[in-house]
Amino acid sequence: MRTKIENCFKLKENNTNIQTELIAGATTFMTMSYIIVVNPNILSAAGMDWGAVFTATVLASVIATLVMAIYAKYPFALAPGMGINAFFAFTVGLTFGWQIALIAVFAEGIIFIILSFFKVREAIFEAIPKNLRLAISVGIGLFIALIGLVNSGLVVVNIPEMPIAMGDLSNIETALTIAGVVITMSLISLKIKGSLLLGILLTWLIGIACQLTGLYVVNPEAGRASLIPSALFAAPPSVEGYNLFSAFEHVRSGFNISALEFIVIMFAFLFVDVFETIGTVIGVSEKAGFIDEDGKLPGIEKVLLSDAVGTVAGAVLGTSTTTTYVESSAGVSVGGRTGLTALTVAALFGLSLFFSPVFSAIPIFATSPALITVGFMMTQSIVKIDFNDLTEGIPAFITIIMMPFSYNIAGGIMFGVISYVILKLVTGRRKEISTIVGIIAVIFILKLIAQTITGY
């Protein structure tokens, strides 16, 4: 059995082993498992049933990540994406209904698959200039570090005095996050195997100790849940009444939206899906060393098709756009290099259907230190960027800062590509702009114009 697994995922060729892949998968899952609870919370605001979305979220993650593991054989994990789920719920769902939002996601997923067969996304991936690819990796590193900082309360945003500031360090959750960062960084410095996963578990255990001693007080109204699981098992809720078939049944009497509005919304979902995926895959692949000397990712078409299949499966089940997760870099950082890492993530997502009380008890302050640490690891690529050539360095800089500051990976790519093309043109270096990058820049500019006019 062991030999079959090693041969199937080519572990020796990728300089890894079963133990490392399992630890990497568990690490990735722990850092992204928050989506199991967060996604239903967001989509329920649009009128969807929390339990149905919970089941749809988990099943969509299992299906998409399994396809990635078995078909593409890369250590990338997938789940309904953050940010785009808020657009689904608060922009489209509250205006036109969750049914329209779900149908739009299904439609863009089908287009995504078609684009895969015509290798459009593969061409986009390979056309991104080297310095921009490196910048995307660094920008994603800062982005996920900021996610960890904000989620844990170490950094607060949208306060009256200023847009961003240091959080309340006397808050027990913030203090536990700091302790977790110290623990995780120390474990990594000591080069201990499975440092990120071990850091999550140790921080969680310290939190449980604080709860038992009264330092951490459970307060559901303040969003402070118990760190001790209430039970081991729970039956998964049904998706009936809140899936794609229910959405079509609801709108059979007629759309409460014009064809133009629907098309604009569908392409808004498609835009984010395509470029969030490409950005994440580039960033994680650069970190893992998957990109070859020609700037290509072997088997990229399988990776992108896995993502597209995940989006369609998620829409059928009843959840927002499924995409490749930046938290995959957590597993890559501890040695995950093959589909066995993704297979482990899929298995843990599957178990979470029945062990949801246990997984939901893992607090954000325990997983945030892992995200902050991974952010540090991914920013190391910045030393490879050629900042001496300003037509390369400035777009790279813009890409890096726009991802965390706009809280949007696709936005960072968009402004980076546009600035790259503009600077090459004004300095008389038009020949360095590939046809595909030029087309992408035009599409981005049109996207900005459309967004200004429609708000989508």
Side-chain angles (χ1 to χ4, degrees):
M1 181 66 176
R2 187 182 186 91
T3 303
K4 288 183 178 180
I5 293 174
E6 289 178 345
N7 292 337
C8 177
F9 293 104
K10 300 179 181 179
L11 301 185
K12 290 182 179 179
E13 291 180 30
N14 288 281
N15 195 29
T16 184
N17 54 59
I18 293 176
Q19 181 184 358
T20 298
E21 295 290 299
L22 294 179
I23 291 174
T27 302
T28 295
F29 174 77
M30 295 286 267
T31 56
M32 66 183 288
S33 60
Y34 64 84
I35 196 64
I36 294 173
V37 176
V38 173
N39 198 50
N41 286 346
I42 292 175
L43 267 57
S44 60
M48 300 188 76
D49 178 70
W50 193 98
V53 178
F54 164 82
T55 301
T57 298
V58 173
L59 290 178
S61 304
V62 170
I63 293 170
T65 308
L66 271 178
V67 175
M68 182 69 73
I70 298 171
Y71 178 59
K73 296 187 178 179
Y74 273 104
F76 306 142
L78 300 92
M82 287 294 294
I84 193 66
N85 55 4
F87 175 70
F88 178 106
F90 300 114
T91 301
V92 184
L94 291 181
T95 304
F96 301 105
W98 62 264
Q99 297 90 347
I100 295 295
L102 204 57
I103 293 171
V105 170
F106 176 75
E108 71 94 350
I110 296 296
I111 294 174
F112 210 166
I113 290 177
I114 294 172
L115 291 177
S116 298
F117 284 119
F118 285 99
K119 297 186 177 182
V120 174
R121 294 178 306 162
E122 181 181 350
I124 293 172
F125 182 96
E126 294 175 355
I128 302 294
K130 179 181 178 181
N131 285 301
L132 278 184
R133 287 203 312 271
L134 292 168
I136 288 170
S137 180
V138 175
I140 288 176
L142 292 178
F143 177 72
I144 62 176
L146 182 60
I147 290 174
L149 291 169
V150 172
N151 287 352
S152 66
L154 265 172
V155 168
V156 291
V157 296
N158 296 327
I159 58 176
E161 297 83 7
M162 58 189 76
I164 188 168
M166 185 178 293
D168 180 8
L169 301 185
S170 64
N171 183 295
I172 183 62
E173 290 162 295
T174 306
L176 286 168
T177 299
I178 294 173
V181 171
V182 172
I183 291 170
T184 307
M185 294 285 192
S186 297
L187 291 171
I188 284 179
S189 298
L190 293 169
K191 298 181 179 180
I192 294 176
K193 199 81 169 178
S195 299
L196 292 179
L197 178 59
L198 189 56
I200 292 170
L201 295 176
L202 288 175
T203 306
W204 183 22
L205 288 175
I206 293 172
I208 291 174
C210 289
Q211 180 176 327
L212 294 174
T213 56
L215 291 174
Y216 177 94
V217 180
V218 176
N219 184 357
E221 293 182 359
R224 188 177 288 179
S226 174
L227 306 178
I228 303 171
S230 57
L232 287 177
F233 308 101
S238 170
V239 299
E240 187 176 355
Y242 294 91
N243 53 31
L244 183 67
F245 305 105
S246 305
F248 277 124
E249 189 68 30
H250 178 81
V251 301
R252 180 179 291 181
S253 58
F255 269 24
N256 61 330
I257 181 175
S258 70
L260 179 61
E261 285 176 317
F262 181 80
I263 291 171
V264 170
I265 288 170
M266 180 186 67
F267 276 100
F269 279 122
L270 180 64
F271 174 87
V272 175
D273 199 3
V274 169
F275 289 100
E276 287 271 348
T277 299
I278 288 175
T280 300
V281 172
I282 286 175
V284 179
S285 297
E286 284 284 357
K287 174 63 185 174
F290 293 149
I291 307 293
D292 63 23
E293 294 178 356
D294 298 322
K296 297 182 179 181
L297 177 67
I300 177 63
E301 70 284 352
K302 294 181 179 180
V303 172
L304 297 176
L305 184 59
S306 300
D307 193 288
V309 169
T311 291
V312 173
V316 171
L317 290 163
T319 187
S320 51
T321 305
T322 301
T323 187
T324 306
Y325 257 58
V326 295
E327 284 84 355
S328 300
S329 55
V332 165
S333 296
V334 296
R337 290 295 181 274
T338 74
L340 184 54
T341 292
L343 184 62
T344 304
V345 176
L348 291 174
F349 264 115
L351 285 174
S352 70
L353 266 180
F354 307 96
F355 290 87
S356 57
V358 176
F359 290 114
S360 62
I362 301 172
I364 287 177
F365 67 71
T367 57
S368 292
L371 296 180
I372 295 167
T373 305
V374 169
F376 156 72
M377 293 176 174
M378 294 192 71
T379 55
Q380 291 175 313
S381 298
I382 198 169
V383 299
K384 300 177 184 178
I385 298 174
D386 181 10
F387 285 108
N388 292 318
D389 183 344
L390 297 184
T391 65
E392 298 280 341
I394 292 174
F397 172 72
I398 291 173
T399 301
I400 290 169
I401 62 170
M402 284 303 295
M403 284 189 183
F405 294 152
S406 69
Y407 223 64
N408 189 320
I409 294 173
I413 297 173
M414 178 171 63
F415 286 106
V417 169
I418 291 174
S419 61
Y420 176 87
V421 170
I422 290 174
L423 289 175
K424 293 295 183 183
L425 287 174
V426 298
T427 56
R429 297 165 64 177
R430 182 176 60 84
K431 292 182 179 180
E432 295 180 28
I433 305 171
S434 69
T435 302
I436 293 176
V437 169
I439 293 172
I440 294 171
V442 172
I443 292 172
F444 282 151
I445 292 171
L446 292 175
K447 168 67 170 64
L448 287 175
I449 293 172
Q451 187 171 355
T452 302
I453 295 172
T454 65
Y456 298 130

